[in-house]
Amino acid sequence: MNSSDGFLSEIDSVRVQRVREISEIKRLYCNSPHSDPRGIMSKSAIVLSYAHWEGFYNECAHTYLRFLTHLNKPLSAVDWSLLLGLLTSNFESLRARNHSIEAKHDFVEKLSVALKEGARGYDTSVLLARSNLNFDKIKTNFSVLSFSYDKLQKYRLKIDNEVVGWRHGIAHGSDPDLSLLDLEKHLELVRELLLVMADIFQEEIMARTN
C-alpha cells in the first residue's frame, strides 16, 4: 500500500458521508409536500449546505497536515510558505516587543529551528475557514499551502454570492433575496464543489508522495 493511500481514502470517506447528508437535505427540503411561504426550509438548507462546504474544507486541511506530519520531513523542504504555521506565534511576539533588535534576534533563532521542523505542532488556525470560506479566503489559504486555485476559479461568483453570501445573509438576519433560488441546483453545486476540493487536496498528496 502506498504511504498516501490512507489519507486519500480518508478524504474520499468524509466527502461521501457529506454527499449523503446533502442528498438527505435534498430529499427533505426539495420534495417536501408542505408549503414554505417564509422560505424557512430553503434558508435552513442553504445554511446546512454551507456548513458542509466549510466543514469539508477544514477536514481536508487537517488531513493534509497529518499527511505532512507523516512525511516526516522539514516543511521548508516541502514548501517555504508552509513555515507560516510554525512561526505564527513568533510573529506575534515580534510585534508585541515592538520589533526591537532583541526580538528580531530571537525571531531569527526561532526561524533557524523552524527550518528543520516538520508539521507536528503546526498552528492550524492559519489554514482554517473561520466561518468565511469565500474565494478570497480560499486564495489566501491556498497561498500558504502553495496550492493552485485554478479548478475553483469558474465557481468564484457562485461561491461568493450563493454559497457564502446567502448563508451570511441568513445567519446575520439581512434576509437575502432568494427569488432566483433553485434549491436542487444549489445543493448540486455544493456537492460538486466538495468533489473539486477533494481532487485538489488528493492531487497535492499524491504529488508530495512521488
Side-chain angles (χ1 to χ4, degrees), residues 65-150:
L65 287 174
R66 287 195 297 274
F67 165 72
L68 293 179
T69 301
H70 173 75
L71 284 182
N72 196 29
K73 63 169 61 175
L75 289 184
S76 58
V78 178
D79 199 285
W80 274 72
S81 61
L82 286 166
L83 291 176
L84 179 60
L86 296 178
L87 295 170
T88 299
S89 62
N90 304 118
F91 287 129
E92 296 299 326
S93 176
L94 187 61
R95 182 178 64 176
R97 296 167 65 186
N98 296 317
H99 300 273
S100 66
I101 293 296
E102 293 83 1
K104 291 176 181 177
H105 180 268
D106 289 347
F107 179 83
V108 171
E109 288 192 335
K110 296 290 187 181
L111 175 60
S112 68
V113 173
L115 289 172
K116 304 171 186 177
E117 290 184 336
R120 196 176 305 278
Y122 200 89
D123 183 357
T124 57
S125 67
V126 304
L127 295 177
L128 299 185
R130 298 189 177 190
S131 300
N132 188 33
L133 193 59
N134 59 19
F135 198 77
D136 281 344
K137 184 61 174 173
I138 292 170
K139 287 172 61 178
T140 297
N141 290 7
F142 276 22
S143 70
V144 177
L145 291 164
S146 244
F147 286 6
S148 169
Y149 52 83
D150 288 349

